[in-house]
Amino acid sequence: MKPNTLIATVMTRDYPTLLFRLLLALCLTNCGGGSGAGGDASTVGAVPSSTTTTNQSQTTLTESTRSWTLDRTSPETIGLETSQVNAVLSHIFTDPAVQSVMLVKDGYIIGERFSETSSAESLGTSWSVAKSFYGAAIGIAIDQGWIQGPEQKASEFLTEWQDTNKADITIGQLLSMQSGITDTVNLYWAEDQTTFAINYPKTQEAGSRFFYSNPTSQLFEPILRRATGLDAHAFLRQNLLTPIGIETESIGMWLDRTGNHPLTYMGLDMPPEAFARFGLLMARGGLWAGRQILSAAFVSESLTTKSPFYGYQWWILNQSYFGQPVPATLAAALGLDGQKIYVWPEADLVLVVLTDYAHSANQGYVLSDLNFPNTCGARGSCPGSTTDEVPSFNEFELIRLLNELH
């Protein structure tokens, strides 16, 4: 079974029977991928294009040549061609639901494009891309000594699990989606989503196989709080977002329906550059401008398969993922309705794709049936939608185009 089929199969099980929830659930179960024509704001660098025969190394950069500022420059400045970058942007915008695309190479923004109603400052939402952020937060807690390591039993923090069949589940098994906890969609409807995740039964043997599971990632909330003394949002802001230059005053961080528990399986609203900064951190082994934010060892483990196509809260877009040989293997953080961060460490390349987003910060960030991260309007997957769902771009073709860049 191909991974995208697997995701759809796993995520559509055991859904509530009420019609409203059923319809909204359909839009919550697609984890994969503006208009590509007329009116889009499209930029390929900020420096006029020029022809060059530079054969610059695309894989090894020194501290003096690579950038951490995400300045805008032309592809030619770093030895690439504008036509190649345009090919990537145009391919992604064959998906008319796309809001923004940002391509970063060697630490420079070499291409970006936006829908007619958005700009570089427009917030997008993460959906499950947030899993990769909070997986990294667990790694930082390990680096700081709050958590012993991936082998530590989660029940040392989740004391409710002691003397149960979940007592021996490890932190690493949570990170790799091999905890044996298989629910995906029911969590979204729970009021207290942390309690729901803690109490959800283990239905498979831990460590036996991969099961994509939202409750598994929501468990990072109580683990971080109990291990570090900070709530998960505060820990992420202080130890990851702020150190890599993300302005946390202007982003959104969602809470569950009680308004008390940070969501760690979804719910980060940020502009594309903020997502790109996190991607660059991962592409460069956890290093940011000379400071090791996240250990290189944990980054390596995160981007290494623990099952055929999944690491620590990151998808590995390999032959097993696509079901056919690939020109290059990238890692990706993937979210509902087409939110994506692609990371290619060997090429020092990051690509962010966000779907058109309808949510005002004035609505706040407490999840409810009426207040939620709305990307389904653009995707055509909202409850009661009378239009066909908008398909995303061909991801395998995207990998081919990125490989041509490198």
Side-chain angles (χ1 to χ4, degrees):
M1 182 179 292
K2 291 184 178 181
N4 290 338
T5 305
L6 171 64
I7 296 167
T9 301
V10 170
M11 296 184 74
T12 52
R13 292 176 182 168
D14 301 325
Y15 222 80
T17 57
L18 292 176
L19 178 60
F20 175 82
R21 292 190 171 190
L22 174 61
L23 290 170
L24 185 55
L26 294 176
C27 82
L28 286 170
T29 59
N30 296 299
C31 269
S35 173
D40 298 327
S42 180
T43 305
V44 179
V47 178
S49 299
S50 60
T51 302
T52 178
T53 57
T54 302
N55 186 22
Q56 180 177 347
S57 169
Q58 303 297 317
T59 57
T60 304
L61 293 167
T62 66
E63 286 300 318
S64 62
T65 58
R66 65 179 176 178
S67 172
W68 300 94
T69 58
L70 277 77
D71 291 335
R72 287 162 173 81
T73 192
S74 71
E76 283 74 14
T77 302
I78 60 170
L80 301 178
E81 297 180 5
T82 293
S83 60
Q84 294 175 307
V85 173
N86 276 330
V88 171
L89 302 182
S90 295
H91 176 70
I92 293 169
F93 265 79
T94 61
D95 177 353
V98 168
Q99 172 175 288
S100 58
V101 180
M102 183 170 286
L103 179 61
V104 177
K105 179 77 172 74
D106 298 352
Y108 297 95
I109 298 171
I110 61 169
E112 54 190 337
R113 187 175 294 183
F114 308 100
S115 67
E116 293 181 355
T117 57
S118 64
S119 69
E121 288 73 41
S122 299
L123 300 188
T125 195
S126 67
W127 286 107
S128 287
V129 168
K131 291 178 170 70
S132 302
F133 281 80
Y134 287 101
I138 292 291
I140 293 171
I142 291 172
D143 293 340
Q144 294 179 353
W146 302 110
I147 299 172
Q148 294 173 14
E151 300 78 20
Q152 186 173 9
K153 293 179 180 179
S155 60
E156 294 184 32
F157 305 102
L158 307 176
T159 54
E160 299 90 336
W161 285 8
Q162 293 175 5
D163 300 320
T164 73
N165 69 343
K166 294 184 281 188
D168 293 332
I169 295 174
T170 67
I171 298 293
Q173 287 168 341
L174 296 178
L175 288 165
S176 62
M177 296 286 188
Q178 297 185 75
S179 67
I181 298 170
T182 59
D183 176 80
T184 296
V185 295
N186 290 304
L187 173 67
Y188 179 82
W189 305 107
E191 290 292 318
D192 182 334
Q193 299 196 7
T194 289
T195 298
F196 181 97
I198 291 172
N199 291 340
Y200 198 83
K202 180 171 73 74
T203 58
Q204 302 289 332
E205 182 181 353
S208 61
R209 57 179 296 192
F210 168 86
F211 290 97
Y212 190 80
S213 167
N214 285 332
T216 294
S217 298
Q218 181 58 26
L219 291 169
F220 301 152
E221 189 278 313
I223 290 173
L224 286 168
R225 173 165 42 85
R226 296 175 185 184
T228 72
L230 293 175
D231 75 59
H233 286 350
F235 188 84
L236 190 76
R237 283 194 300 267
Q238 293 180 24
N239 293 281
L240 195 157
L241 302 184
T242 298
I244 63 175
I246 295 174
E247 298 179 359
T248 58
E249 312 80 32
S250 58
I251 69 173
M253 306 178 84
W254 285 81
L255 302 168
D256 73 1
R257 295 164 186 264
T258 68
N260 296 321
H261 299 123
L263 298 179
T264 52
Y265 71 99
M266 59 166 278
L268 293 175
D269 288 10
M270 303 191 296
E273 184 179 316
F275 289 103
R277 285 176 176 269
F278 176 59
L280 189 61
L281 177 76
M282 298 298 292
R284 293 180 171 179
L287 186 69
W288 191 269
R291 178 183 173 189
Q292 198 72 44
I293 305 299
L294 175 62
S295 67
F298 190 87
V299 172
S300 178
E301 288 299 308
S302 298
L303 306 185
T304 300
T305 53
K306 304 298 182 290
S307 56
F309 44 81
Y310 203 76
Y312 281 169
Q313 304 291 287
W314 283 85
W315 297 91
I316 312 303
L317 309 188
N318 55 17
Q319 181 170 336
S320 295
Y321 178 87
F322 284 110
Q324 60 181 311
V326 293
T329 298
L330 279 66
L334 303 177
L336 173 70
D337 284 337
Q339 326 309 317
K340 302 171 186 287
I341 305 174
Y342 297 99
V343 171
W344 191 1
E346 293 80 5
D348 200 30
L349 183 146
V350 174
L351 176 65
V352 172
V353 182
L354 298 172
T355 300
D356 270 322
Y357 186 40
H359 180 267
S360 170
N362 293 333
Q363 296 173 257
Y365 293 95
V366 177
L367 187 66
S368 72
D369 284 353
L370 298 179
N371 186 44
F372 61 95
N374 182 3
T375 52
C376 67
R379 189 57 65 190
S381 56
C382 288
S385 176
T386 59
T387 61
D388 292 336
E389 185 169 332
V390 177
S392 188
F393 54 84
N394 184 305
E395 193 166 57
F396 187 85
E397 174 64 10
L398 175 64
I399 301 302
R400 187 190 68 78
L401 291 169
L402 291 175
N403 189 57
E404 288 187 356
L405 267 181
H406 178 51

